[in-house]
Structures are given as C-alpha cells and as structure tokens.
Amino acid sequence: MVELVKAWAAKRYELTAEIYKAHYYQDPDTGAFVTEWDYDNPIRVKASGGSIKPYQSLETFGAQYRNEPFLQLFIPRSVDLLDRIGKVRNRAGEILYKEQEGDSATLFDVFGVFPEIDQQGRTVDYRVVTKRAQVQG
C-alpha cells in the first residue's frame, strides 16, 4: 500500500515551479509604496496542472485587444495572493512557459488559491490560478 501511495504522489506532481515572495517598502523620497519580489530566494515546489482556457476570459476585443494567458497549478502548499510563480518545469528540467523574446521564463501573478479537499475533509493540495504578470522580471 505504501508503494502505491508513493507511486501516486510521484505521478500527481509531474512539474516543479518556483514561488517568489513579495516584499513592500515605502520609498522615502516619493512616499510611494513599492513592491519587489525576492527572485534570489525562490521556494521550489512540486506541481501539476497547466494552462487553462476559460471561454471569453482570455481574449478581449474592443478599443484595445488583450490576450491574457492563465495557468492553473496544483501544489502541496498554500501561497499568498501577492506572490508570483515562475520557472514551471517538467521532469526533464525544461521550462514550459517562456517569453517570446529571449529565453526568460514567464512570470505569473497569483490570481486565486483554493484548497482541494478529500472525502475526509482534509486539504490534500491547493489549486493556484495565476495570470501572466504584465511586467516581466
């Protein structure tokens, strides 16, 4: 039974991702609150999931065209709504989401965090919905 659980867990999280924590400070010269993410000390997590395509929410046609890619991941820990996620990799270590210009990994802002519950009411993992960050790195 233990081997079955280990095999299921290995299959469940076929990706890895990095979580970047947000830090705020107030600029002493302007008084503005500035957000910075700690890219030097990421939290690495196992993950599963991929891009999602909720109809009529990715493309907006109007005065300005917008195409917003969303990413849904299942991870074993909760994240804050202020965090960013990046460097989503497969088991071979390849980054799955890259910017078109260059080889930099796409950054995603956390849009929602939802606990996934089993039949006994225990939290088994978290569904994290993210949206591509408008300003990359």
Side-chain angles (χ1 to χ4, degrees), residues 23-36:
H23 301 285
Y24 289 94
Y25 67 91
Q26 187 171 12
D27 187 306
D29 297 331
T30 64
F33 287 95
V34 179
T35 306
E36 289 185 350

Side-chain angles (χ1 to χ4, degrees), residues 37-58:
W37 286 269
D38 188 2
Y39 297 114
D40 295 329
N41 300 302
I43 301 168
R44 290 178 177 84
V45 295
K46 294 180 180 181
S48 64
S51 55
I52 57 175
K53 190 172 186 177
Y55 290 102
Q56 299 178 353
S57 67
L58 290 180

Side-chain angles (χ1 to χ4, degrees), residues 94-106 108 132:
E94 302 165 330
I95 295 177
L96 300 179
Y97 302 96
K98 293 183 181 180
E99 291 300 297
Q100 290 180 351
E101 300 165 4
D103 288 333
S104 62
T106 301
F108 295 90
R132 183 186 175 274

Side-chain angles (χ1 to χ4, degrees), residues 116-135:
E116 295 289 318
I117 309 296
D118 68 4
Q119 290 85 1
Q120 284 78 36
R122 297 177 297 214
T123 301
V124 292
D125 59 6
Y126 293 86
R127 179 167 43 114
V128 180
V129 178
T130 64
K131 181 170 79 168
R132 183 186 175 274
Q134 292 209 356
V135 178

